[in-house]
Amino acid sequence: MRQTMMRGLFYGLSVAAVMMIGVALTPPAFAADEEPLICSIIEARECTPDSPCRKVKLTDIFLAPLVVLDFAKKIIVSAAMDDRGRTEKITGHVKTPDEHIIYGHSDHKAWNAVVSRKSGSMTANVNSGDTNHVLFGNCAPHAYP
Amino acid sequence: MAYWIEARRSRGLNRVTRTVLLCSFALLVSFVPAAAATSVIPLSDSEINQYVKRLNLNQNQKPAVTSIMKRSRTEGESILKKHGVNPQSGKKPGLFQLMTLKKEFNSVVQWARAEVEKVLTPVQLREFEKIYAEGAALLRQRLLK
């Protein structure tokens, strides 16, 4: 009886130790829950019902090439040299083991973005009824939150 | 003694007058940028006058080009209004608020270009293109500041 209890305790402690080592070895990159991410938007495409999607310059769509996803404050904020401090509210944030899924809306627009928690790659859509902008980029933890 | 008191009083009055004048000046100065910021479209009357000088227009061209520019300003302002851009609010536009702005502005610019082509010489048209490019940069700067 005592032997069985000891064996159970040993197994329990072993499992706990393995779990603790696992947690300790998790890469720190996307470990923190509410850590803000800084994302560079690499490419933008404009899609309309009349024509195939085409690449557009970020300056032509008044979009900053750098944005910060601040999950704690529930905002996306522009962080480029000449375009800083413009914000968009994050209405929803779902965190899966692999992705951050965020979405929101403003006057006449709905948007969503998926950021891989492993690779940092990002895709986003900004939909304004007659035009859909598709954005591609990469995110990393923000060093100076 | 009476002279001294009189001198003190007049010096005091001078100080009061100086303070009132300084305050009025400060108030005036603080209102000037607000008044200048009523329109972000770089087609104010004084800016149109500058463009007219740069284009070196003759007496026949001048009223036609001025009216095209003024109509472009009106159209542009209505587009900004539609997109909820209000420079007087002092609030920066949302991150995704201006994404379809340029597309709508392009239709006004295309119309203006077609109209000025009927009036301007090829040399003047080249100058018009320069003015347009500068205006677009200025508009971006004013919208994002």
Side-chain angles (χ1 to χ4, degrees), chain B residues 56-70:
Chain B
N56 199 17
L57 302 175
N58 64 31
Q59 287 308 307
N60 294 332
Q61 292 171 320
K62 207 171 168 180
V65 173
T66 307
S67 115
I68 292 165
M69 285 182 174
K70 281 187 177 169

Side-chain angles (χ1 to χ4, degrees), chain B residues 31-97:
Chain B
F31 276 117
V32 166
T38 49
S39 178
V40 289
I41 295 171
L43 283 172
S44 67
D45 285 347
S46 65
E47 281 163 330
I48 289 176
N49 284 340
Q50 284 174 25
Y51 302 148
V52 164
K53 274 182 198 159
R54 274 178 64 180
L55 288 167
N56 199 17
L57 302 175
N58 64 31
Q59 287 308 307
N60 294 332
Q61 292 171 320
K62 207 171 168 180
V65 173
T66 307
S67 115
I68 292 165
M69 285 182 174
K70 281 187 177 169
R71 188 171 160 190
S72 304
R73 177 175 68 195
T74 313
E75 298 281 333
E77 272 164 2
S78 71
I79 290 171
L80 286 179
K81 199 174 170 187
K82 183 185 148 194
H83 282 264
V85 178
N86 181 11
Q88 283 160 310
S89 72
K91 269 174 66 181
K92 287 189 176 198
L95 184 63
F96 301 139
Q97 195 177 341

Side-chain angles (χ1 to χ4, degrees), chain A residues 60 84 86-88 109 131, chain B residues 92 94-96 102-103:
Chain A
D60 285 351
R84 199 171 273 267
R86 289 199 296 139
T87 59
E88 209 66 56
K109 282 188 181 68
T131 309
Chain B
K92 287 189 176 198
L95 184 63
F96 301 139
K102 190 168 179 191
K103 215 164 79 169

Side-chain angles (χ1 to χ4, degrees), chain A residues 80-91:
Chain A
M81 290 292 279
D82 65 339
D83 184 357
R84 199 171 273 267
R86 289 199 296 139
T87 59
E88 209 66 56
K89 271 185 196 163
I90 297 174
T91 313

